[in-house]
């Protein structure tokens, strides 16, 4: 007789159904697992056998075959321990009820304790989509699983408790979301009012937040580039519930959830410049995991000391910045992860940091400066919509105790501009001005005659590329939205052009 239950696997950031089947035949007492299992799944039979024995459950003395269907998809991870133990408990006669339509996810210790696993949220979402009514997850994963409506989520601490629940000897307590959807996170974030001076840079970051544009900050050491970048999440609009789910799915798969339940604040990822291409983009020798670019999904990826990153790591970013997703191919498998991000990069203008600051402190030769700047390729540089210089802060600005504009006030203007864009691009997949399609570009980036002449002069004088032309107009569209204007005028274009001039100053 064949016994079965359900479980789920992970493909990219989505789940897929796995049917776990077990049957026994005459032969040497052993367990064979088939269905394209990886090393962790193959080892699970040893963990499960010990967990069952230490829970007082005896397996039949026969040859047991366990099949993980569909058999042509590779099964990875330790979360198949629990469903494997459940079908073996059925086989041994310890479970009296039909549980073939119930799902189980969890790793087992040798004592029978059910341990937490990664990727529970996307698996529970897939279970609900397929009409599964009941799913059992580890207690430590209950928070993220319970946010999914339309499916009953239950937990058990160990195999004995689970067996009693399934045999209805014990009433299971249904897990609830604990109102995780009610409000956004109240985590304290650094505020823009803590940054002295740098009004031009603050204005540029406000425009970037309003349109979702990428920003490059160039300036000497200690000018406040990192301080400004770290305060960017404080002026970004709150995430929608759908965005929370997407971000939580990525963090769950990567094993980076810091708390039970949803990720409610926009992510801010700041990898060290020694990060590898795999660490930045994702991958790995075994299971493909999301990298820093995906962990910043719907948030900010901050690259401090941009030229110090390896050329290979930086080139990983070029396509994901454009497409909003990254596809990783390895032998026998291809995974796609979302990465709709804002990229903020900061760098010094030369190795010593003081080139062009108006003083004689720079000690770098011209060739040394050129080599340093050329570590950032032209195609990558072209993808920064806004390039802003962050000069050293003057003593007078440091001692100025006048009230500074708080992030909350800037955020209100940003949200107003984003609301205009939400209405403009409703019914499409365009999140903001920075990601408009060619068709939308022609329709919505409308300029008056004076603005057209201004843009023409700048295009011919500064030698803009076609991509630079598009990005200048997208930034101008955002500036017009902040001003509440439908038509882009000359002042909007002039301000947008200012944010594309640094490459002409430093990358001559």
């Amino acid at each position: 007789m064949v016994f079965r239950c359900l479980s789920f696997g992970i493909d990219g950031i989505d789940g897929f159904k796995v049917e776990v089947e077990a049957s026994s035949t005459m032969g040497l007492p052993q367990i064979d697992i088939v269905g394209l299992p990886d090393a962790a799944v193959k080892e699970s039979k040893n963990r499960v056998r010990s967990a069952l024995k230490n829970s007082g459950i005896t397996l039949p003395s026969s040859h047991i075959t366990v099949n993980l269907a569909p058999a042509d998809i590779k099964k990875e991870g330790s979360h198949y321990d629990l469903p494997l133990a459940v079908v073996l408990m059925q086989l041994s006669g310890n479970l009296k009820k039909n549980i073939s339509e119930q799902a189980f996810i969890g790793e087992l210790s040798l004592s029978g304790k059910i341990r937490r696993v990664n990727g529970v949220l996307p698996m529970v979402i897939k279970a609900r989509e397929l009409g599964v009514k009941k799913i059992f997850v580890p207690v430590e994963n209950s928070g993220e699983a319970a946010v999914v409506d339309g499916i009953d989520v239950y937990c058990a601490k160990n195999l004995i408790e689970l067996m009693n629940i399934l045999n209805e000897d014990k009433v299971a307590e249904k897990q609830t979301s604990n109102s995780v959807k009610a409000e956004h996170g109240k985590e304290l974030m650094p505020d823009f009012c803590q940054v002295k001076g740098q009004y031009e840079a603050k204005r540029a970051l406000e425009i970037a937040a309003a349109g979702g544009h990428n920003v490059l900050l160039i300036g000497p050491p200690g000018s406040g580039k990192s301080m400004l970048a770290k305060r960017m999440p404080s002026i970004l609009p709150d995430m929608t519930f759908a965005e929370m789910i997407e971000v939580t799915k990525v963090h769950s798969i990567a094993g980076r959830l810091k708390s039970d339940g949803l990720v409610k604040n926009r992510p801010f990822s700041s990898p060290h410049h020694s990060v590898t291409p795999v660490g930045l983009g994702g991958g790995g020798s075994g299971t493909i995991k999301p990298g820093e670019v995906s962990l910043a999904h719907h948030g900010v990826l901050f690259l401090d000391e941009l030229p110090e990153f390896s050329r290979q790591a930086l080139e990983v970013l070029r396509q994901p910045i454009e497409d909003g997703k990254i596809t990783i191919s390895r032998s026998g498998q291809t995974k796609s992860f979302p990465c709709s991000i804002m990229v903020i990069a900061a760098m010094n203008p030369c190795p010593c940091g003081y080139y062009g600051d108006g003083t004689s402190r720079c000690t770098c030769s011209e060739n040394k400066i050129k080599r340093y700047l050329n570590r950032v390729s032209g195609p990558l540089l072209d993808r920064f919509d806004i390039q802003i210089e962050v000069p050293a802060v003057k003593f007078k600005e440091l001692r100025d105790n006048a009230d500074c504009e708080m992030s909350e006030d800037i955020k209100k203007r940003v949200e107003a501009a984003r609301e205009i864009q939400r209405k403009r691009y409703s019914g499409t997949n365009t999140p903001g001005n920075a990601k408009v399609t060619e068709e939308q570009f022609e329709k919505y980036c409308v300029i008056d005659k004076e603005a057209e002449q201004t843009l023409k002069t700048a295009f011919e004088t500064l030698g803009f590329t076609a991509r630079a032309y598009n990005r200048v107009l997208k930034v101008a569209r955002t500036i017009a939205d902040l001003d509440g204007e439908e038509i882009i005028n000359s002042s909007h274009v002039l301000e947008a052009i200012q944010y594309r001039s640094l490459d002409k100053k430093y990358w001559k």
Side-chain angles (χ1 to χ4, degrees):
M1 187 174 179
V2 177
F3 296 92
R4 66 186 291 272
C5 71
L6 300 179
S7 190
F8 288 84
I10 293 293
D11 182 19
I13 65 163
D14 297 315
F16 64 91
K17 186 173 76 170
V18 175
E19 292 187 12
V20 183
E21 304 170 316
S23 178
S24 64
T25 57
M26 296 294 292
L28 293 175
Q30 64 181 31
I31 301 174
D32 286 335
I33 301 177
V34 297
L36 217 56
D38 72 346
V41 181
K42 290 178 181 177
E43 291 174 350
S44 67
K45 61 184 178 183
N46 297 320
R47 290 192 297 271
V48 171
R49 184 186 286 114
S50 177
L52 290 172
K53 181 180 178 181
N54 291 322
S55 300
I57 300 169
T58 304
L59 291 176
S61 297
S62 58
H63 184 276
I64 299 172
T65 302
V66 177
N67 180 43
L68 306 176
D72 60 339
I73 300 177
K74 190 173 184 180
K75 315 303 184 306
E76 301 172 321
S78 59
H79 63 275
Y80 294 107
D81 288 5
L82 189 58
L84 177 57
V86 168
V87 293
L88 292 181
M89 284 194 290
Q90 287 180 286
L91 198 64
S92 63
N94 287 277
L95 296 182
K96 307 176 182 65
K97 301 290 183 179
N98 180 14
I99 57 169
S100 60
E101 297 304 318
Q102 298 181 31
F104 302 85
I105 300 168
E107 180 184 327
L108 291 176
S109 70
L110 298 184
S111 64
K113 180 184 176 182
I114 301 174
R115 291 173 170 166
R116 71 169 293 136
V117 293
N118 297 334
V120 165
L121 180 61
M123 290 189 275
V124 175
I125 290 174
K126 191 64 176 181
R128 180 198 59 188
E129 291 174 359
L130 295 177
V132 176
K133 300 299 182 183
K134 186 181 291 188
I135 188 167
F136 286 83
V137 302
V139 174
E140 295 172 274
N141 293 113
S142 60
E144 59 177 299
V147 302
V148 183
D149 291 328
I151 185 171
D152 295 338
V153 177
Y154 297 95
C155 297
K157 297 178 182 178
N158 51 56
L159 283 180
I160 296 175
E161 183 179 354
L162 177 63
M163 184 173 63
N164 291 333
I165 291 172
L166 295 176
N167 285 328
E168 298 183 355
D169 294 330
K170 178 179 179 180
V171 178
E173 181 180 349
K174 181 181 173 182
Q175 302 299 306
T176 59
S177 61
N178 295 321
S179 302
V180 294
K181 307 173 198 176
E183 57 183 32
H184 291 84
K186 299 299 182 182
E187 179 183 328
L188 291 177
M189 288 185 283
D191 199 285
F192 267 97
C193 70
Q194 299 160 347
V195 181
K196 298 287 187 178
Q198 303 301 4
Y199 302 109
E200 294 84 1
K202 290 178 183 178
R203 167 65 176 173
L205 290 179
E206 178 182 339
I207 295 168
H213 303 284
N214 302 320
V215 185
L216 176 63
L217 305 170
I218 306 178
S223 59
K225 302 184 295 295
S226 298
M227 283 187 70
L228 288 164
K230 290 175 181 178
R231 281 150 181 77
M232 193 66 173
S234 68
I235 64 172
L236 291 174
D238 294 331
M239 284 197 293
T240 64
F241 181 64
E243 288 175 336
M244 290 183 194
I245 289 289
E246 286 184 24
V247 173
T248 306
K249 284 168 71 174
V250 175
H251 283 244
S252 176
I253 292 166
R256 297 278 288 270
L257 279 181
K258 296 180 180 179
S259 61
D260 250 358
L262 290 174
V263 175
K264 299 179 223 177
N265 295 303
R266 291 195 180 272
F268 181 87
S269 181
S270 179
H272 190 260
H273 60 73
S274 61
V275 67
T276 64
V278 170
L280 191 60
S285 57
T287 303
I288 294 180
K289 292 291 185 69
E292 294 291 338
V293 69
S294 294
L295 291 169
H297 184 47
H298 287 314
V300 175
L301 177 67
F302 177 45
L303 304 176
D304 202 5
E305 305 295 343
L306 184 65
E308 301 299 335
F309 286 78
S310 72
R311 189 67 171 256
Q312 293 84 356
L314 290 179
E315 295 307 300
V316 165
L317 293 175
R318 283 168 53 177
Q319 203 59 38
I321 289 176
E322 294 286 329
D323 297 343
K325 69 175 182 179
I326 184 167
T327 301
I328 304 161
S329 297
R330 295 289 184 269
S331 177
Q333 55 180 331
T334 300
K335 307 286 185 185
S336 291
F337 299 106
C339 55
S340 180
I341 56 174
M342 283 182 58
V343 179
I344 300 180
M347 61 178 288
N348 298 327
C350 66
C352 77
Y354 297 103
Y355 173 65
D357 74 340
T359 68
S360 57
R361 286 185 291 179
C362 182
T363 59
C364 304
S365 66
E366 187 173 338
N367 284 336
K368 195 173 182 181
I369 295 171
K370 186 176 180 180
R371 284 196 303 270
Y372 180 79
L373 294 174
N374 284 341
R375 293 180 187 176
V376 183
S377 69
L380 180 63
L381 183 65
D382 219 16
R383 283 166 169 79
F384 289 101
D385 302 0
I386 296 175
Q387 303 161 6
I388 186 71
E389 196 163 18
V390 186
V393 183
K394 295 180 175 59
F395 179 80
K396 181 180 178 182
E397 293 173 327
L398 288 173
R399 297 298 299 168
D400 186 4
N401 293 320
D403 290 339
C404 183
E405 191 172 38
M406 299 184 67
S407 292
E408 185 179 354
D409 300 321
I410 302 174
K411 183 177 179 178
K412 290 177 182 177
R413 297 195 295 269
V414 169
E415 288 179 330
R418 286 284 185 113
E419 183 59 30
I420 293 172
Q421 294 166 54
R422 272 193 289 271
K423 292 178 180 178
R424 178 185 298 143
Y425 306 123
S426 62
T428 71
N429 294 323
T430 303
N433 291 331
K435 304 294 183 182
V436 297
T437 63
E438 291 301 320
E439 182 181 352
Q440 292 167 337
F441 180 82
E442 295 296 332
K443 183 177 180 180
Y444 297 117
C445 293
V446 180
I447 59 177
D448 61 23
K449 290 292 183 182
E450 185 181 355
E452 184 176 359
Q453 186 58 44
T454 301
L455 189 58
K456 179 184 176 183
T457 303
F459 188 87
E460 294 172 349
T461 305
L462 299 175
F464 282 160
T465 64
R467 180 183 281 121
Y469 164 81
N470 282 353
R471 292 186 182 277
V472 165
L473 271 183
K474 289 175 184 178
V475 173
R477 174 69 274 167
T478 301
I479 297 171
D481 289 341
L482 283 167
D483 289 346
E485 300 286 346
E486 184 64 29
I487 304 297
I488 301 171
N489 62 40
S490 182
S491 64
H492 303 144
V493 171
L494 281 171
E495 185 175 3
I497 290 171
Q498 291 178 12
Y499 300 132
R500 293 291 301 192
S501 59
L502 286 188
D503 55 347
K504 310 304 176 188
K505 176 179 178 179
Y506 293 106
W507 287 268
K508 299 176 184 177

